[in-house]
Short mmCIF file of all heavy atoms in Angstrom, two decimals:
data_model
loop_
_atom_site.label_atom_id
_atom_site.label_comp_id
_atom_site.label_asym_id
_atom_site.label_seq_id
_atom_site.Cartn_x
_atom_site.Cartn_y
_atom_site.Cartn_z
N LYS A 405 71.09 31.29 -4.33
CA LYS A 405 71.56 30.03 -3.73
C LYS A 405 71.90 30.19 -2.25
O LYS A 405 72.30 29.23 -1.61
CB LYS A 405 72.79 29.52 -4.49
CG LYS A 405 72.51 29.23 -5.94
CD LYS A 405 73.78 28.87 -6.69
CE LYS A 405 73.51 28.65 -8.18
NZ LYS A 405 74.77 28.36 -8.93
N ASN A 406 71.75 31.40 -1.74
CA ASN A 406 72.13 31.69 -0.37
C ASN A 406 70.87 31.72 0.51
O ASN A 406 69.98 32.54 0.31
CB ASN A 406 72.83 33.05 -0.31
CG ASN A 406 73.44 33.32 1.05
OD1 ASN A 406 72.98 32.83 2.09
ND2 ASN A 406 74.49 34.14 1.07
N PRO A 407 70.79 30.81 1.51
CA PRO A 407 69.60 30.77 2.37
C PRO A 407 69.35 32.07 3.12
O PRO A 407 68.21 32.33 3.54
CB PRO A 407 69.92 29.63 3.35
CG PRO A 407 70.95 28.80 2.65
CD PRO A 407 71.76 29.76 1.84
N ALA A 408 70.37 32.89 3.28
CA ALA A 408 70.18 34.16 3.96
C ALA A 408 69.42 35.15 3.08
O ALA A 408 68.89 36.14 3.59
CB ALA A 408 71.53 34.76 4.35
N HIS A 409 69.40 34.88 1.79
CA HIS A 409 68.71 35.78 0.85
C HIS A 409 67.48 35.13 0.19
O HIS A 409 66.58 35.86 -0.25
CB HIS A 409 69.67 36.25 -0.26
CG HIS A 409 70.69 37.25 0.20
ND1 HIS A 409 70.48 38.60 0.15
CD2 HIS A 409 71.93 37.08 0.74
CE1 HIS A 409 71.53 39.24 0.62
NE2 HIS A 409 72.44 38.34 1.00
N THR A 410 67.50 33.84 0.08
CA THR A 410 66.43 33.16 -0.68
C THR A 410 65.88 31.99 0.12
O THR A 410 66.64 31.12 0.57
CB THR A 410 66.94 32.65 -2.04
OG1 THR A 410 67.42 33.77 -2.80
CG2 THR A 410 65.81 31.99 -2.82
N THR A 411 64.57 31.96 0.27
CA THR A 411 63.88 30.81 0.89
C THR A 411 62.98 30.17 -0.16
O THR A 411 62.37 30.85 -1.00
CB THR A 411 63.03 31.26 2.08
OG1 THR A 411 62.09 32.25 1.65
CG2 THR A 411 63.89 31.82 3.19
N CYS A 412 62.93 28.86 -0.11
CA CYS A 412 62.15 28.11 -1.11
C CYS A 412 61.20 27.15 -0.40
O CYS A 412 61.55 26.55 0.63
CB CYS A 412 63.07 27.32 -2.04
SG CYS A 412 64.18 28.36 -3.03
N ASP A 413 60.05 26.99 -0.96
CA ASP A 413 59.04 26.07 -0.43
C ASP A 413 58.52 25.18 -1.55
O ASP A 413 58.46 25.58 -2.71
CB ASP A 413 57.85 26.84 0.17
CG ASP A 413 58.25 27.62 1.42
OD1 ASP A 413 58.93 27.03 2.27
OD2 ASP A 413 57.89 28.81 1.50
N VAL A 414 58.15 23.97 -1.14
CA VAL A 414 57.52 23.05 -2.08
C VAL A 414 56.02 23.20 -1.97
O VAL A 414 55.47 23.23 -0.86
CB VAL A 414 57.91 21.59 -1.78
CG1 VAL A 414 57.27 20.66 -2.79
CG2 VAL A 414 59.42 21.44 -1.82
N GLN A 415 55.35 23.29 -3.10
CA GLN A 415 53.89 23.33 -3.13
C GLN A 415 53.39 22.05 -3.78
O GLN A 415 53.87 21.65 -4.84
CB GLN A 415 53.40 24.55 -3.93
CG GLN A 415 53.83 25.88 -3.32
CD GLN A 415 53.46 27.06 -4.18
OE1 GLN A 415 53.53 26.98 -5.41
NE2 GLN A 415 53.08 28.16 -3.56
N ILE A 416 52.44 21.39 -3.12
CA ILE A 416 51.87 20.15 -3.66
C ILE A 416 50.72 20.54 -4.58
O ILE A 416 49.70 21.07 -4.13
CB ILE A 416 51.39 19.21 -2.54
CG1 ILE A 416 52.52 18.94 -1.56
CG2 ILE A 416 50.86 17.92 -3.14
CD1 ILE A 416 53.73 18.30 -2.18
N ASN A 417 50.89 20.30 -5.86
CA ASN A 417 49.86 20.63 -6.85
C ASN A 417 49.04 19.40 -7.19
O ASN A 417 49.57 18.28 -7.27
CB ASN A 417 50.50 21.18 -8.13
CG ASN A 417 51.33 22.43 -7.85
OD1 ASN A 417 50.90 23.30 -7.10
ND2 ASN A 417 52.52 22.50 -8.45
N GLU A 418 47.75 19.61 -7.38
CA GLU A 418 46.85 18.52 -7.76
C GLU A 418 46.53 18.61 -9.25
O GLU A 418 46.24 19.69 -9.77
CB GLU A 418 45.55 18.58 -6.95
CG GLU A 418 45.73 18.33 -5.47
CD GLU A 418 44.42 18.29 -4.73
OE1 GLU A 418 43.37 18.39 -5.39
OE2 GLU A 418 44.43 18.17 -3.49
N LYS A 419 46.58 17.48 -9.91
CA LYS A 419 46.23 17.41 -11.33
C LYS A 419 45.29 16.22 -11.52
O LYS A 419 45.55 15.13 -11.02
CB LYS A 419 47.49 17.23 -12.18
CG LYS A 419 47.21 17.20 -13.69
CD LYS A 419 48.51 17.12 -14.48
CE LYS A 419 49.21 15.80 -14.25
NZ LYS A 419 50.41 15.64 -15.13
N THR A 420 44.20 16.45 -12.23
CA THR A 420 43.20 15.40 -12.43
C THR A 420 43.23 14.93 -13.88
O THR A 420 43.28 15.74 -14.81
CB THR A 420 41.79 15.91 -12.10
OG1 THR A 420 41.77 16.37 -10.75
CG2 THR A 420 40.76 14.80 -12.24
N LYS A 421 43.19 13.62 -14.06
CA LYS A 421 43.11 13.08 -15.40
C LYS A 421 42.11 11.92 -15.42
O LYS A 421 41.89 11.25 -14.40
CB LYS A 421 44.48 12.61 -15.89
CG LYS A 421 45.05 11.40 -15.16
CD LYS A 421 46.37 10.97 -15.79
CE LYS A 421 46.94 9.73 -15.10
NZ LYS A 421 48.20 9.29 -15.73
N LEU A 422 41.49 11.70 -16.58
CA LEU A 422 40.52 10.61 -16.74
C LEU A 422 41.25 9.32 -17.09
O LEU A 422 42.06 9.30 -18.03
CB LEU A 422 39.51 10.94 -17.83
CG LEU A 422 38.34 11.84 -17.43
CD1 LEU A 422 37.50 12.20 -18.65
CD2 LEU A 422 37.46 11.17 -16.38
N VAL A 423 40.97 8.27 -16.34
CA VAL A 423 41.57 6.96 -16.58
C VAL A 423 40.45 5.93 -16.71
O VAL A 423 39.50 5.94 -15.92
CB VAL A 423 42.53 6.56 -15.44
CG1 VAL A 423 43.15 5.19 -15.72
CG2 VAL A 423 43.61 7.62 -15.25
N GLU A 424 40.55 5.07 -17.69
CA GLU A 424 39.52 4.06 -17.92
C GLU A 424 39.84 2.78 -17.13
O GLU A 424 40.96 2.27 -17.17
CB GLU A 424 39.43 3.74 -19.42
CG GLU A 424 38.29 2.80 -19.78
CD GLU A 424 38.22 2.55 -21.27
OE1 GLU A 424 39.01 1.73 -21.77
OE2 GLU A 424 37.38 3.18 -21.95
N TYR A 425 38.82 2.29 -16.42
CA TYR A 425 38.95 1.04 -15.65
C TYR A 425 37.79 0.12 -15.99
O TYR A 425 36.73 0.58 -16.43
CB TYR A 425 38.91 1.32 -14.14
CG TYR A 425 40.12 2.01 -13.57
CD1 TYR A 425 40.19 3.39 -13.49
CD2 TYR A 425 41.20 1.27 -13.08
CE1 TYR A 425 41.29 4.03 -12.96
CE2 TYR A 425 42.31 1.91 -12.53
CZ TYR A 425 42.35 3.29 -12.48
OH TYR A 425 43.44 3.91 -11.94
N ASP A 426 37.99 -1.18 -15.76
CA ASP A 426 36.86 -2.10 -15.75
C ASP A 426 36.08 -1.88 -14.47
O ASP A 426 36.67 -1.62 -13.41
CB ASP A 426 37.34 -3.56 -15.82
CG ASP A 426 37.87 -3.94 -17.19
OD1 ASP A 426 37.44 -3.29 -18.17
OD2 ASP A 426 38.70 -4.85 -17.29
N SER A 427 34.76 -1.95 -14.55
CA SER A 427 33.92 -1.63 -13.39
C SER A 427 34.19 -2.54 -12.21
O SER A 427 33.93 -2.18 -11.07
CB SER A 427 32.43 -1.71 -13.79
OG SER A 427 32.11 -3.00 -14.30
N ASP A 428 34.72 -3.75 -12.46
CA ASP A 428 35.02 -4.66 -11.36
C ASP A 428 36.49 -4.57 -10.90
O ASP A 428 36.93 -5.35 -10.07
CB ASP A 428 34.69 -6.10 -11.75
CG ASP A 428 35.50 -6.59 -12.95
OD1 ASP A 428 36.06 -5.73 -13.67
OD2 ASP A 428 35.58 -7.82 -13.16
N LYS A 429 37.22 -3.61 -11.44
CA LYS A 429 38.63 -3.46 -11.08
C LYS A 429 38.96 -1.99 -10.77
O LYS A 429 40.03 -1.49 -11.11
CB LYS A 429 39.53 -3.97 -12.20
CG LYS A 429 39.38 -5.47 -12.46
CD LYS A 429 40.28 -5.93 -13.59
CE LYS A 429 40.12 -7.43 -13.84
NZ LYS A 429 40.97 -7.89 -14.98
N LEU A 430 38.01 -1.33 -10.11
CA LEU A 430 38.24 0.05 -9.74
C LEU A 430 39.33 0.13 -8.67
O LEU A 430 39.46 -0.78 -7.85
CB LEU A 430 36.96 0.68 -9.21
CG LEU A 430 35.81 0.84 -10.21
CD1 LEU A 430 34.57 1.38 -9.50
CD2 LEU A 430 36.21 1.77 -11.33
N PRO A 431 40.12 1.18 -8.65
CA PRO A 431 41.15 1.29 -7.61
C PRO A 431 40.51 1.39 -6.24
O PRO A 431 39.44 1.99 -6.08
CB PRO A 431 41.88 2.59 -7.98
CG PRO A 431 40.92 3.36 -8.83
CD PRO A 431 40.11 2.33 -9.57
N ALA A 432 41.15 0.76 -5.27
CA ALA A 432 40.63 0.80 -3.90
C ALA A 432 40.53 2.24 -3.43
O ALA A 432 41.48 3.00 -3.55
CB ALA A 432 41.54 -0.01 -2.98
N GLY A 433 39.37 2.58 -2.92
CA GLY A 433 39.17 3.95 -2.46
C GLY A 433 38.45 4.83 -3.45
O GLY A 433 38.07 5.95 -3.11
N ALA A 434 38.24 4.33 -4.68
CA ALA A 434 37.47 5.11 -5.65
C ALA A 434 36.03 5.23 -5.17
O ALA A 434 35.42 4.25 -4.73
CB ALA A 434 37.52 4.45 -7.03
N ALA A 435 35.48 6.42 -5.23
CA ALA A 435 34.13 6.66 -4.72
C ALA A 435 33.33 7.45 -5.74
O ALA A 435 33.88 8.19 -6.56
CB ALA A 435 34.18 7.43 -3.40
N ILE A 436 32.01 7.25 -5.68
CA ILE A 436 31.12 7.99 -6.58
C ILE A 436 31.11 9.46 -6.16
O ILE A 436 30.83 9.78 -5.01
CB ILE A 436 29.70 7.40 -6.55
CG1 ILE A 436 29.71 5.97 -7.11
CG2 ILE A 436 28.73 8.27 -7.35
CD1 ILE A 436 28.36 5.27 -7.02
N SER A 437 31.42 10.34 -7.09
CA SER A 437 31.44 11.78 -6.80
C SER A 437 30.20 12.48 -7.32
O SER A 437 29.82 13.54 -6.80
CB SER A 437 32.68 12.42 -7.40
OG SER A 437 32.72 12.23 -8.81
N SER A 438 29.56 11.93 -8.34
CA SER A 438 28.36 12.55 -8.91
C SER A 438 27.63 11.53 -9.78
O SER A 438 28.14 10.44 -10.04
CB SER A 438 28.72 13.80 -9.73
OG SER A 438 29.52 13.44 -10.84
N TRP A 439 26.41 11.92 -10.20
CA TRP A 439 25.60 11.07 -11.06
C TRP A 439 25.15 11.86 -12.27
O TRP A 439 24.96 13.09 -12.20
CB TRP A 439 24.36 10.55 -10.32
CG TRP A 439 24.65 9.45 -9.35
CD1 TRP A 439 25.10 9.59 -8.07
CD2 TRP A 439 24.51 8.05 -9.58
NE1 TRP A 439 25.26 8.35 -7.49
CE2 TRP A 439 24.89 7.39 -8.39
CE3 TRP A 439 24.09 7.28 -10.66
CZ2 TRP A 439 24.87 6.01 -8.26
CZ3 TRP A 439 24.07 5.92 -10.55
CH2 TRP A 439 24.45 5.28 -9.35
N SER A 440 24.95 11.17 -13.38
CA SER A 440 24.40 11.76 -14.59
C SER A 440 23.27 10.86 -15.09
O SER A 440 23.46 9.63 -15.21
CB SER A 440 25.47 11.92 -15.66
OG SER A 440 24.93 12.45 -16.85
N CYS A 441 22.10 11.43 -15.34
CA CYS A 441 20.94 10.67 -15.79
C CYS A 441 20.42 11.24 -17.10
O CYS A 441 20.31 12.47 -17.25
CB CYS A 441 19.82 10.69 -14.74
SG CYS A 441 20.24 9.82 -13.21
N ASN A 442 20.11 10.37 -18.04
CA ASN A 442 19.58 10.76 -19.35
C ASN A 442 18.13 10.30 -19.45
O ASN A 442 17.84 9.10 -19.44
CB ASN A 442 20.42 10.14 -20.47
CG ASN A 442 19.96 10.59 -21.84
OD1 ASN A 442 19.30 11.63 -21.98
ND2 ASN A 442 20.30 9.84 -22.87
N LEU A 443 17.21 11.25 -19.52
CA LEU A 443 15.78 10.96 -19.59
C LEU A 443 15.31 11.04 -21.03
O LEU A 443 15.53 12.05 -21.71
CB LEU A 443 15.00 11.95 -18.72
CG LEU A 443 13.48 11.74 -18.56
CD1 LEU A 443 13.00 12.35 -17.25
CD2 LEU A 443 12.69 12.33 -19.73
N MET A 444 14.65 9.98 -21.51
CA MET A 444 14.09 9.94 -22.86
C MET A 444 12.58 9.79 -22.75
O MET A 444 12.08 8.81 -22.18
CB MET A 444 14.68 8.77 -23.65
CG MET A 444 16.18 8.84 -23.85
SD MET A 444 16.71 10.20 -24.91
CE MET A 444 15.92 9.73 -26.46
N LYS A 445 11.84 10.76 -23.30
CA LYS A 445 10.38 10.64 -23.31
C LYS A 445 9.93 9.55 -24.25
O LYS A 445 8.92 8.88 -24.03
CB LYS A 445 9.75 11.97 -23.73
CG LYS A 445 10.03 13.14 -22.80
CD LYS A 445 9.38 14.40 -23.34
CE LYS A 445 9.99 14.78 -24.69
NZ LYS A 445 9.37 15.93 -25.31
N ASN A 446 10.66 9.41 -25.38
CA ASN A 446 10.30 8.43 -26.41
C ASN A 446 8.89 8.67 -26.95
O ASN A 446 8.14 7.72 -27.22
CB ASN A 446 10.42 6.99 -25.87
CG ASN A 446 11.83 6.64 -25.45
OD1 ASN A 446 12.79 7.10 -26.05
ND2 ASN A 446 11.96 5.85 -24.40
N ASP A 447 8.54 9.95 -27.08
CA ASP A 447 7.20 10.27 -27.59
C ASP A 447 7.21 10.75 -29.03
O ASP A 447 6.22 11.26 -29.55
CB ASP A 447 6.54 11.34 -26.70
CG ASP A 447 7.37 12.63 -26.63
OD1 ASP A 447 8.46 12.67 -27.25
OD2 ASP A 447 6.92 13.58 -25.96
N GLY A 448 8.36 10.62 -29.69
CA GLY A 448 8.45 10.99 -31.10
C GLY A 448 8.75 12.44 -31.35
O GLY A 448 8.96 12.83 -32.51
#
Side-chain angles (χ1 to χ4, degrees):
K405 299 174 183 177
N406 189 332
H409 287 269
T410 301
T411 57
C412 298
D413 293 313
V414 181
Q415 298 174 324
I416 306 301
N417 301 317
E418 294 185 4
K419 182 176 66 174
T420 302
K421 68 176 182 179
L422 278 174
V423 180
E424 185 178 80
Y425 289 91
D426 287 335
S427 57
D428 61 343
K429 295 180 181 178
L430 294 175
I436 295 176
S437 59
S438 63
W439 284 83
S440 178
C441 293
N442 184 21
L443 185 155
M444 298 293 297
K445 297 179 297 177
N446 298 326
D447 58 359

